[in-house]
Each structure stands twice: as structure tokens, then as C-alpha cells.
Amino acid sequence: MKQYRCFGDTRQLGFCVFCSDETDSRDHCPSRVLLDKPYPENVPVIQVCQKCNSKLSLDEEYFACLVSCVIAGTTDPEKISREKIKRILQRKPSLRSRLDQAMSTENDNVFFNVETERVTNVITKLAKGHALYELHEPCIEEPVMVECVPLSELTNAERGNFENPPVTRVAPEVGSRGLFRLVEMGNPLGTWPWIIVQEGVYRYHASLNEGITIRIVVQEYLACQVSWA
């Protein structure tokens, strides 16, 4: 993905976006567990505190494995398409067992009893990171909405609204990467671009329209949306 230098107010970067403490670490957003090797250049990085950088790592690992297992319809490592996830499931039998226990079959359809809180934690963390990196907006408060649904379950109208959000008339923070992207497109107000971190693996969309909205697509399977008023 193309890299832009941020020229926003540095006071927005002086504290951890997850807990408001002083920053002493860096966090990839998205986490590398959600990406495949070779990693893309210029993966977004934000300043955070070490405590927040590490405390959600297990949830992120669970989330990444869950998505791959749901797509494959099994927890069998040999049937998982992502090599990284295959290795995690082989190396961590307890995690695979946890996912096994959450899996059920009905009429030849496979279902997973999702640990909703862990998924919400990961999606919210990702959205906060994208809002800070792209819009230069620290979202310390919890979002008013967190939604996740498979793309295949969206109607045509819902899919269209998700992929093509309403045109906004609110410009991002002066000096933010989001503003540079819009200016380069010759459209400082209007249509916001999807940011492709890794083709077919991870993309996100950040916009301002009566609040902040972050859209995320994982493995071209799971559509996520997080909003702040």
C-alpha cells in the first residue's frame, strides 16, 4: 500500500489510543497474524503502550484462526488454506480444541459458536488503529456500533451500501493521511478509497460522515463495521 507521511497535530499521538497511557511501543494495524508472508510494504503502524500491544495478541490469534476455520468448515490444519494459521493450529492444540468444541454440524452445514467478546475486542482495536492512522482521529471512547457479518450473507443492496459508503462532505483532519489520499485523487470531499493492505487478505475503509466509520474486510469473507458518533 502507498505510504503517506502524517502532518497532523502531534498532540494527537502523545498517548495510547487504546487506554490513554503514554506510548512506549509500536503496533501493526492490522496485526501480522491477519496477513500472509511475504508481508506487504508499508503496513500501517501506530504508537501505543506496551501493555495494550501485548494484551490482545491471544484474541487476535483466536480471531485469525476462527475466520480461517469458518471459511474451511473445519479445524483440521491440513485443510486450512493459510499456512500461518495451519502452523498455529498445529503448534497450539489447546486453541484447536477450543475451536473444535465451538463447532457443530446441522444438515451438513458447519456452525461455530463464536466468542463474541473476543471478536469485538479485536475488531474494535483494528478500527481504532485505522481511525488514528488514516484520519488522525484518536477514538478513546468505545464505539456506538460494532458489526460483523459474512459478505455472502449481505443482500445486494446491503453489499452495495457497505462497499460504496455515502458521499461525505466532511474533510478529514488537516495533515492526515486520509486528506492526502483524497487530494491526490482530485476529490478532497466525496468518495473515500478502500485501502488494500494485502490483496484478497485485508482491506479497510475510513470515513467521516456524522461521526467516524471504519469498514474492514478480512479474507474477502468477513465484513466488519465500527462507528463512533
Side-chain angles (χ1 to χ4, degrees):
M1 60 178 289
K2 184 170 182 179
Q3 181 65 276
Y4 292 85
R5 182 180 175 186
C6 181
F7 289 92
D9 189 339
T10 56
R11 289 174 294 182
Q12 300 280 63
L13 307 175
F15 53 90
C16 176
V17 70
F18 304 128
C19 70
S20 300
D21 283 349
E22 293 185 5
T23 59
D24 56 4
S25 183
R26 287 155 47 93
D27 189 26
H28 287 95
C29 188
S31 167
R32 288 186 174 182
V33 75
L34 296 173
L35 304 175
D36 292 327
K37 291 184 178 180
Y39 296 124
E41 296 182 356
N42 300 323
V43 174
V45 175
I46 59 173
Q47 300 293 322
V48 297
C49 71
Q50 181 59 49
K51 181 180 179 181
C52 289
N53 193 12
S54 58
K55 75 176 183 178
L56 281 179
S57 59
L58 291 179
D59 284 352
E60 290 174 318
E61 189 175 68
Y62 162 81
F63 174 74
C65 290
L66 173 67
V67 172
S68 288
C69 288
V70 170
I71 292 173
T74 180
T75 65
D76 183 352
E78 298 306 317
K79 297 181 180 179
I80 300 296
S81 60
R82 294 188 62 208
E83 289 297 322
K84 176 180 294 185
I85 302 305
K86 182 183 299 186
R87 291 194 299 271
I88 291 174
L89 292 174
Q90 291 170 336
R91 191 175 69 248
K92 295 192 172 184
S94 61
L95 175 55
R96 181 184 174 186
S97 176
R98 192 181 188 101
L99 291 168
D100 270 332
Q101 293 173 19
M103 186 174 66
S104 61
T105 304
E106 183 178 333
N107 297 326
D108 295 327
N109 294 316
V110 177
F111 300 92
F112 282 83
N113 184 20
V114 175
E115 296 181 40
T116 306
E117 183 177 356
R118 301 184 77 181
V119 171
T120 299
N121 287 341
V122 173
I123 296 302
T124 301
K125 176 188 176 183
L126 292 169
K128 286 186 174 187
H130 294 321
L132 180 64
Y133 183 85
E134 201 66 28
L135 305 175
H136 204 62
E137 295 280 356
C139 298
I140 300 298
E141 301 297 327
E142 290 305 297
V144 297
M145 181 190 70
V146 180
E147 293 182 336
C148 295
V149 63
L151 282 170
S152 60
E153 293 186 8
L154 297 176
T155 65
N156 289 337
E158 290 170 337
R159 178 70 180 265
N161 290 334
F162 179 80
E163 297 282 5
N164 304 287
V167 172
T168 179
R169 297 303 175 191
V170 181
E173 179 78 16
V174 174
S176 68
R177 294 179 178 88
L179 183 61
F180 285 127
R181 292 188 198 280
L182 294 179
V183 170
E184 186 174 78
M185 293 170 60
N187 189 16
L189 292 176
T191 304
W192 295 61
W194 278 89
I195 310 303
I196 300 174
V197 179
Q198 191 169 49
E199 189 76 41
V201 177
Y202 192 99
R203 59 188 170 101
Y204 69 91
H205 182 283
S207 65
L208 291 163
N209 198 1
E210 297 183 356
I212 295 170
T213 298
I214 306 296
R215 292 171 171 83
I216 300 168
V217 177
V218 181
Q219 298 292 313
E220 287 304 316
Y221 167 76
L222 188 64
C224 310
Q225 184 168 311
V226 183
S227 298
W228 287 267

